[in-house]
DNA sequence: TTCACATCGGAAACAGTGTTACCAAGATAC
DNA sequence: GTATCTTGGTAACACTGTTTCCGATGTGAA
């Protein structure tokens, strides 16, 4: 896929018609388009060849332009990585949305947990980029954290509701519990991806065991 | 620290005296000494400047020799990383050894968990090298897994004993439970080190919460 | 002791990486 | 139409892991 970059491709039509008028606005809009094209190209490489294959040269090569573009649009590689991170957040949120909420909050928790595992399996490259430290330099900024929180909001709501209804103790802060669940499940996925837990079946068993241990403890008060 | 490399430094004395006799044996012994010196130099850089500072050039520079040495002794950088991994295992095992076993297995579990957290805090560079994916290429081989198992053997023994004494359900395999605990605690540490859990106090709170959730569930049958 | 052989390690190069300086070409504004 | 200013491609820089080449050095036999 080669993309020919024409900065002012649709300038005439925009000048002719709508609300976009000033040069700055047009340039900004096209910059935004450009950013999207670059992110898409990077995302394609990420999914096809893995995180370590996402190099500035390779992305620009796929676009048919020089590396300068990426630095003009994203400051540095980390800036591009942040956009990919946000893309991953969308995919994760989408995966959570597909989980139909069970009337039983415990079952709902198990379903969300399983969805998180499946996300890791289906989008390994994204997972490694986001949480696996594939880009060692990458630290989530405010926007990234926002995207993360949006993605796992389903989990937050579930725990918060269960606390309000007395199914989970409200002695601990909701955020602390959510973080504990998230981190625990992440730990299994990360250790598996690092090669410490054997094959996928063994790892999945450990994962389910972790979910059971956590949920048993959380919902113990209701029994 | 400059190290002058003399391959046959102590050859005469060895020829004069003890059990080491053939050329091959002497060479092997000195190769072993050399390996140790290189690993020590790499470990020093690791602890002083972090995992990303451990480059082949830097290590050889610290030794005052060329990069060739490292490739002669360890095949490639990953080979050196494996040795550093085993060094980290020793430190971790040592940290676990310092935990005085409590008569209460639940307390013992909490103490071991806390020791694991402290290891991550005190030896952050080692932790990142071992479990943080600081060297993306690094996958544990058989020897590394052996070292890991030795390190966490205390945890294995604790769970196994508790199962035999009926304090923990023996429906699940011991290995699965140990992996679940290990992975969960690792997840909190890793997410914290990646910048997802805020400052150290917030992360430690999540860590303790995770330990409480897991241990509550594990020791629930005894109540 | 001397000479052929094997080994060992240092210098330099190779193929990558992220990043930046420079400069020509083009678009913008008057 | 011209002056200005932005834009992006080329080539370089400073790194990385790794390999190739070759001289020096140690080894074993005559």
């Amino acid at each position: 896929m080669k993309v020919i970059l024409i900065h002012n491709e649709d300038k005439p039509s925009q000048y002719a018609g709508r609300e976009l008028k000033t040069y700055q606005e047009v340039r900004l809009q096209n910059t935004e388009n450009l950013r999207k094209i670059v992110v898409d190209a990077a995302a394609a490489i990420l999914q096809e060849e893995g995180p370590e294959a996402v190099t500035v040269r390779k992305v620009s090569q796929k676009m048919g332009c020089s590396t300068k573009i990426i630095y003009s649009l994203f400051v540095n590689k980390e800036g591009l990585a942040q956009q990919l991170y946000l893309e991953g957040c969308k995919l994760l949120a989408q995966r959570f949305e597909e989980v139909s909420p069970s009337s039983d909050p415990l079952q709902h928790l198990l379903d969300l947990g399983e969805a998180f595992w499946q996300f890791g399996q289906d989008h390994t490259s994204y997972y490694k980029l986001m949480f696996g430290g594939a880009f060692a330099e990458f630290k989530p900024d405010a926007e990234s954290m926002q995207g993360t929180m949006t993605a796992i909001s389903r989990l937050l709501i579930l725990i918060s509701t269960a606390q309000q209804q007395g199914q989970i103790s409200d002695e601990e802060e909701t955020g602390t519990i959510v973080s504990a669940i998230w981190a625990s499940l992440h730990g299994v996925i990360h250790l598996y991806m690092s090669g410490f837990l054997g094959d996928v079946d063994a790892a999945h068993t450990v994962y389910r065991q972790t979910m059971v241990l956590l949920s048993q403890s959380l919902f113990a008060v209701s029994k």
Side-chain angles (χ1 to χ4, degrees), chain A:
Chain A
M1 182 190 73
K2 264 220 173 185
V3 178
I4 293 137
L5 303 174
I6 304 174
H7 232 186
N8 295 308
E9 194 176 6
D10 47 0
K11 188 183 71 173
S13 67
Q14 290 192 347
Y15 268 126
R18 268 65 47 105
E19 65 288 315
L20 289 177
K21 289 203 174 115
T22 71
Y23 161 71
Q24 289 295 339
E25 281 171 334
V26 173
R27 206 187 56 151
L28 221 70
Q29 157 120 2
N30 285 332
T31 297
E32 221 43 55
N33 287 343
L34 254 181
R35 284 173 64 97
K36 186 166 160 34
I37 291 171
V38 173
V39 170
D40 286 346
I45 296 171
L46 175 67
Q47 289 177 295
E48 286 164 18
E49 305 178 58
E52 64 283 348
V54 181
T55 70
V56 178
R57 275 181 178 79
K58 215 168 225 166
V59 172
S60 57
Q61 202 173 335
K62 182 154 195 144
M63 307 260 315
C65 66
S66 85
T67 60
K68 191 81 200 308
I69 303 287
I70 278 125
Y71 291 94
S72 301
L73 295 173
F74 302 96
V75 182
N76 50 25
K77 194 192 176 184
E78 196 182 330
L80 177 57
Q82 275 174 15
Q83 292 310 117
L84 288 173
Y85 180 90
L86 292 176
E87 290 291 309
C89 284
K90 284 184 203 168
L91 287 171
L92 178 57
Q94 187 180 318
R95 187 54 65 97
F96 278 140
E97 287 304 317
E98 287 166 17
V99 174
S100 54
S102 165
S103 56
D104 179 16
L106 194 153
Q107 186 58 48
H108 192 185
L109 177 59
L110 295 178
D111 290 343
L112 286 177
E114 189 59 28
F116 190 56
W117 169 267
Q118 280 305 326
F119 172 76
Q121 296 308 114
D122 296 343
H123 297 102
T124 305
S125 293
Y126 267 113
Y127 194 96
K128 285 179 178 170
L129 172 86
M130 295 167 73
F131 308 122
F135 295 171
E137 334 78 33
F138 176 70
K139 295 268 170 181
D141 63 343
E143 194 183 358
S144 301
M145 285 305 295
Q146 181 71 34
T148 312
M149 285 308 145
T150 306
I152 63 172
S153 62
R154 285 286 299 272
L155 184 58
L156 237 159
I157 292 166
L158 168 64
I159 301 298
S160 175
T161 308
Q163 280 184 315
Q164 283 167 17
Q165 296 180 353
Q167 293 155 318
I168 289 180
S169 159
D170 57 357
E171 279 182 25
E172 297 297 332
E173 267 192 50
T174 311
T176 304
I177 293 175
V178 169
S179 292
I181 297 169
W182 175 30
S184 298
L185 299 184
H186 160 69
V188 181
I189 296 174
H190 185 250
L191 235 42
Y192 161 60
M193 287 181 174
S194 301
F196 286 101
L197 297 184
D199 62 21
V200 62
D201 290 329
H204 202 173
T205 301
V206 173
Y207 190 85
R208 276 192 294 254
Q209 175 71 34
T210 305
M211 283 201 292
V212 168
L213 286 175
L214 291 173
S215 53
Q216 271 183 356
S217 191
L218 283 167
F219 287 98
V221 288
S222 65
K223 287 180 182 171

